[in-house]
Amino acid sequence: MNHCNVDILQQLIDKSKNIVFFGGAGVSTESGIPDFRSTDGLYFQKWDFPPEEILSRDFFYKNTAEFYKFYREKFILENIKPNPAHYKLAELEQTGKLKAIVTQNIDGLHQAAGSKIVYELHGTTLNNYCENCHANYDLTFVKQSESAPDKIPHCTKCGAIIKPGIVLYQENLDDDVIEASIDAIQNADTLIVGGTSLVVNPAAGLIRYFRGENLVLINKTPTPMDSAANLIIRDPIGAVFSQIKC
């Protein structure tokens, strides 16, 4: 742990009045949720189909049972809890310094830690819905669908297929979430980016809307925005935030 960098981050936080946090999969890996692109991530595991294909809109409709087999195994994780990064961000929000969290994650751990203003760019696994009558279903319902004859969750009201509340490949991000995220980033004096390689667009492109004073990058590997950062920290994000005082 580079304590000098943590001290600099603490000073930036202390001086800031409008902080926005932009996070990716690396924020949740310390909670036991695998990321996508590291050597142990989902994209390097062996499946009958590439994960990028499984998580596409076309695949969902053409191979729904296979989609849910993957979804139940990789996205319905039990006993997963927020880590120090999630909790510290919630504390920073309570102080009034942190104005918003913009996240690429779909696990709901920021809200579980107590954060209130969270913009979920890629949706969430916690809200699953009927495409026909729009009834909502939780993850327990989706998990139990494994015992259904076709292995697919169906609406108990109208019988239609339940769709997960995540943004699949070939689908657009929610316009309202994008607009709110851009507004938050544009108004921030400090933008802390953590746990993301910043290679997934359009989400990663939102960083370019930042016009504030301090850009902080906390990620184990280099990102395309390193040259624009005031501070780069290569340590695990949970370990970094556990040292921060609100």
Side-chain angles (χ1 to χ4, degrees):
M1 172 72 70
N2 188 325
H3 293 286
C4 291
N5 281 340
V6 175
D7 289 342
I8 295 172
L9 176 59
Q10 181 73 66
Q11 293 170 14
L12 294 179
I13 290 174
D14 290 343
K15 293 189 298 183
S16 300
K17 296 181 180 179
N18 189 329
I19 302 172
V20 169
F21 178 81
F22 183 99
V27 178
S28 293
T29 52
E30 291 172 69
S31 292
I33 298 178
D35 63 8
F36 285 79
R37 289 174 173 77
S38 71
T39 54
D40 296 321
L42 290 180
Y43 287 172
F44 288 87
Q45 297 177 14
K46 300 297 183 182
W47 293 87
D48 292 337
F49 302 90
E52 302 100 316
E53 182 180 350
I54 297 174
L55 294 172
S56 69
R57 182 178 178 85
D58 284 349
F59 191 93
F60 174 79
Y61 288 110
K62 293 177 181 177
N63 301 278
T64 309
E66 187 70 20
F67 171 92
Y68 270 113
K69 178 183 178 182
F70 180 87
Y71 188 72
R72 280 189 291 262
E73 180 171 340
K74 290 302 177 183
F75 290 96
I76 302 180
L77 304 174
E78 297 180 348
N79 302 316
I80 296 297
K81 298 180 180 180
N83 62 56
H86 297 107
Y87 286 117
K88 188 62 64 174
L89 288 166
E91 287 182 39
L92 284 171
E93 183 186 64
Q94 291 171 4
T95 68
K97 283 183 173 290
L98 182 71
K99 303 302 183 183
I101 292 172
V102 180
T103 180
Q104 297 171 281
N105 294 341
I106 57 177
D107 50 47
L109 289 180
H110 285 296
Q111 293 91 328
S115 293
K116 305 298 182 186
I117 303 177
V118 182
Y119 301 123
E120 296 170 307
L121 296 173
H122 297 148
T124 175
T125 60
L126 304 186
N127 296 327
N128 306 277
Y129 64 95
C130 172
E131 288 197 288
N132 181 51
C133 72
H134 306 293
N136 293 315
Y137 294 89
D138 60 17
L139 276 180
T140 299
F141 182 88
V142 174
K143 183 179 181 180
Q144 291 173 344
S145 68
E146 187 172 12
S147 61
D150 60 0
K151 309 293 185 182
I152 297 171
H154 291 271
C155 179
T156 58
K157 297 180 180 180
C158 70
I161 292 175
I162 303 302
K163 189 173 185 295
I166 61 175
V167 179
L168 301 175
Y169 289 108
Q170 302 170 332
E171 293 182 330
N172 295 324
L173 303 187
D174 183 272
D175 287 340
D176 291 338
V177 173
I178 289 291
E179 290 179 12
S181 300
I182 290 174
D183 183 66
I185 291 171
Q186 284 180 328
N187 287 292
D189 57 17
T190 295
L191 179 62
I192 302 175
V193 179
T196 173
S197 57
L198 293 178
V199 297
V200 178
N201 286 306
L206 297 180
I207 303 302
R208 301 189 183 279
Y209 286 93
F210 178 60
R211 298 292 182 267
E213 184 178 354
N214 306 304
L215 175 60
V216 179
L217 298 179
I218 307 173
N219 199 55
K220 292 181 179 179
T221 58
T223 78
M225 293 297 291
D226 282 9
S227 61
N230 303 76
L231 176 64
I232 298 174
I233 300 176
R234 296 291 185 218
D235 296 305
I237 191 167
V240 171
F241 273 107
S242 66
Q243 304 298 311
I244 297 298
K245 296 179 175 62
C246 294

